Amino acid sequence: MDSQYPGNGTHPQQQYQYNMPQNQPPGYRPGKGAAIAALVCGIVAMVLPIPVLDLAVGIVGLCLAGSAKKQGYPGGMATAGLVCSIIGTVFAAIYTCVCTCAACYPFLGAATLL
């Protein structure tokens, strides 16, 4: 009798699909939370006046935007978060390098005199 059912002999009604989301609210999209968080991190990275913190927030925003894209979020929020995070991270990196070079410049001149 079990030979008429394919697989392990269970009835077709007992086979479950594990990739289908269960009990999700209407309008739920995978990756939407990560996309919103990426956009917020990108905006904060562009606006915050502390360059070291901008780097950290921008990198987190890049990771979240990549996660949202990987989860298949179709909206533009993930793209906007990615772009804002890139802009904030690049400007923070440039500003950090300029400030570090300006702070170390007096000591570099003293080292060449030795």
Side-chain angles (χ1 to χ4, degrees):
M1 290 279 188
D2 288 334
S3 63
Q4 65 182 348
Y5 298 112
N8 59 1
T10 60
H11 294 283
Q13 292 85 11
Q14 293 176 348
Q15 294 177 355
Y16 299 104
Q17 294 180 353
Y18 293 105
N19 59 356
M20 298 297 291
Q22 300 281 330
N23 299 327
Q24 297 295 335
Y28 173 77
R29 293 184 185 171
K32 184 176 182 179
I36 292 170
L39 183 60
V40 169
C41 287
I43 291 170
V44 168
M46 289 192 319
V47 174
L48 201 64
I50 305 168
V52 176
L53 195 56
D54 283 344
L55 282 171
V57 172
I59 291 171
V60 169
L62 290 172
C63 294
L64 287 170
S67 173
K69 292 266 189 189
K70 190 178 286 187
Q71 291 176 8
Y73 182 71
M77 253 190 296
T79 305
L82 180 69
V83 170
C84 290
S85 295
I86 288 171
I87 291 170
T89 304
V90 167
F91 282 145
I94 291 170
Y95 188 72
T96 301
C97 291
V98 168
C99 288
T100 303
C101 291
C104 293
Y105 183 73
F107 301 112
L108 293 175
T112 58
L113 293 176
L114 294 177

